[in-house]
Amino acid sequence: MPSFATPPIEPMQIRFDFSTAAVQPAGPAMTRRMSSLSGLFAREDLRAAEASGEDPVVYSVVSSPVPEFARELPQSITTIRPGTIGGEFFMTKGHQHPDPQAEIYLGLGGVGGLLMFNGQRSTWIDMAEGVIGYIPPGWAHRSVNTGTEDYSFLAVYPGSAGHDYGWVLEHGMGQRAFSDPTGHVLTPYSAICV
Ligand code: S6P
Ligand code: ZN
C-alpha cells in the first residue's frame, strides 16, 4: 500500500438526503448571502440594495468530511435558491482551479445551468436531475438556477485543485444568464438586461 503525506482518510459511506440536500457524515458548510456577492451581477446597484435590505440567501454548500488534500476527492452539494437580480438568475460566485484539474457535477434536483469560460470561449450546459456536467481543466465554472425551485448538484473535485475567485472578477465568465419568456437567455458578459 502506498504511503501518503496527508493524514489517512478511511473508506466511508456518505449518505445524501434528497429532501434536505444534506450529507451525513457532514463536513464544512457555507451559506452565501447577497451581501457576499459584490461585483458579480450585471446590476450591482440592485444587488447592493438587496444586500443592505433583506440580504437573502443565494446559495449554500454542504460537504462530506473528505478534506481538500492532494489525491483525495472532496465532494460538496450546492443548493441555489430561485430568484433574479435585475432579471439575472441567482448564481454562484464562480471560480478557476489554480492547479488546472477537471471536476464533475451531477444534477440532483431542480433545473439550472453550468456556465464555463476558458478565457476565450464560454459554454453552457443545461443541468437537471441525473445530468453530469464535465468541467475540463482550465475552464472557470459558475452555476445558475434557471428554475422556480431550488437547484441542487453534487460536485466532485481533486483535493489539490484550489479555488481562485479573483480570476472570475478579473476576466468575467463570457456570458450571463437572464430570465426570458422562453426560460433563459444568454447574453455577452457586459450586457445589462432588465
Ligand atoms: C468546487 C465546486 C463547487 C463550488 C460551489 C460554490 O470546486 O465547483 O462545490 O465551490 O458550487 O460555487 P463557488 O463558485 O462559490 O465556489
Ligand atoms: Zn470547482
Side-chain angles (χ1 to χ4, degrees), residues 20 39 97 117 121-122 128 143 157 176:
T20 61
H97 294 291
F117 183 48
R121 291 183 295 122
S122 63
S143 296
Y157 56 99
R176 294 185 178 280

Short mmCIF file of all heavy atoms in Angstrom, two decimals, residues 20 39 97 117 121-122 128 143 157 176:
data_model
loop_
_atom_site.label_atom_id
_atom_site.label_comp_id
_atom_site.label_asym_id
_atom_site.label_seq_id
_atom_site.Cartn_x
_atom_site.Cartn_y
_atom_site.Cartn_z
N THR A 20 -33.61 17.15 2.16
CA THR A 20 -32.98 18.30 2.82
C THR A 20 -31.70 18.75 2.14
O THR A 20 -31.12 19.76 2.55
CB THR A 20 -32.64 17.96 4.28
OG1 THR A 20 -31.72 16.85 4.29
CG2 THR A 20 -33.89 17.59 5.07
N GLY A 39 -20.06 42.74 -6.95
CA GLY A 39 -19.36 42.82 -8.23
C GLY A 39 -19.63 41.71 -9.20
O GLY A 39 -18.99 41.63 -10.25
N HIS A 97 -9.84 26.73 -10.93
CA HIS A 97 -8.95 25.94 -10.08
C HIS A 97 -7.52 26.31 -10.45
O HIS A 97 -7.09 26.06 -11.58
CB HIS A 97 -9.21 24.44 -10.28
CG HIS A 97 -10.56 24.02 -9.80
ND1 HIS A 97 -10.91 24.00 -8.48
CD2 HIS A 97 -11.67 23.65 -10.47
CE1 HIS A 97 -12.16 23.62 -8.35
NE2 HIS A 97 -12.66 23.41 -9.55
N PHE A 117 -16.01 29.01 -18.80
CA PHE A 117 -15.28 30.02 -19.58
C PHE A 117 -13.79 29.73 -19.46
O PHE A 117 -13.27 29.58 -18.35
CB PHE A 117 -15.61 31.41 -19.02
CG PHE A 117 -14.98 32.56 -19.75
CD1 PHE A 117 -15.02 32.65 -21.14
CD2 PHE A 117 -14.34 33.58 -19.05
CE1 PHE A 117 -14.46 33.72 -21.81
CE2 PHE A 117 -13.78 34.66 -19.70
CZ PHE A 117 -13.84 34.73 -21.09
N ARG A 121 -13.48 31.33 -24.81
CA ARG A 121 -14.81 30.84 -25.18
C ARG A 121 -15.58 30.49 -23.92
O ARG A 121 -15.02 30.06 -22.92
CB ARG A 121 -14.69 29.56 -26.02
CG ARG A 121 -14.12 29.79 -27.40
CD ARG A 121 -14.11 28.50 -28.21
NE ARG A 121 -13.22 27.48 -27.65
CZ ARG A 121 -13.59 26.26 -27.27
NH1 ARG A 121 -14.84 25.88 -27.37
NH2 ARG A 121 -12.71 25.41 -26.78
N SER A 122 -16.91 30.70 -24.01
CA SER A 122 -17.77 30.26 -22.90
C SER A 122 -18.78 29.26 -23.44
O SER A 122 -19.13 29.28 -24.64
CB SER A 122 -18.48 31.43 -22.24
OG SER A 122 -19.35 32.06 -23.15
N ALA A 128 -30.02 19.29 -14.86
CA ALA A 128 -31.23 18.82 -14.19
C ALA A 128 -30.86 17.52 -13.49
O ALA A 128 -29.73 17.03 -13.64
CB ALA A 128 -32.35 18.58 -15.21
N SER A 143 -22.45 28.19 -11.53
CA SER A 143 -23.75 27.51 -11.64
C SER A 143 -24.87 28.51 -11.46
O SER A 143 -24.76 29.47 -10.68
CB SER A 143 -23.85 26.40 -10.59
OG SER A 143 -22.87 25.41 -10.85
N TYR A 157 -14.27 16.93 -6.95
CA TYR A 157 -13.11 17.63 -7.49
C TYR A 157 -11.84 17.19 -6.79
O TYR A 157 -11.88 16.76 -5.63
CB TYR A 157 -13.30 19.15 -7.39
CG TYR A 157 -13.56 19.65 -5.98
CD1 TYR A 157 -12.53 20.19 -5.20
CD2 TYR A 157 -14.84 19.59 -5.43
CE1 TYR A 157 -12.76 20.65 -3.93
CE2 TYR A 157 -15.09 20.05 -4.14
CZ TYR A 157 -14.05 20.58 -3.39
OH TYR A 157 -14.29 21.03 -2.11
N ARG A 176 -23.77 35.90 -19.47
CA ARG A 176 -24.65 35.99 -18.30
C ARG A 176 -25.97 35.32 -18.65
O ARG A 176 -26.39 35.32 -19.82
CB ARG A 176 -24.92 37.44 -17.93
CG ARG A 176 -23.71 38.20 -17.43
CD ARG A 176 -24.10 39.59 -16.96
NE ARG A 176 -22.96 40.32 -16.44
CZ ARG A 176 -22.45 40.16 -15.22
NH1 ARG A 176 -23.01 39.29 -14.39
NH2 ARG A 176 -21.42 40.86 -14.82
#
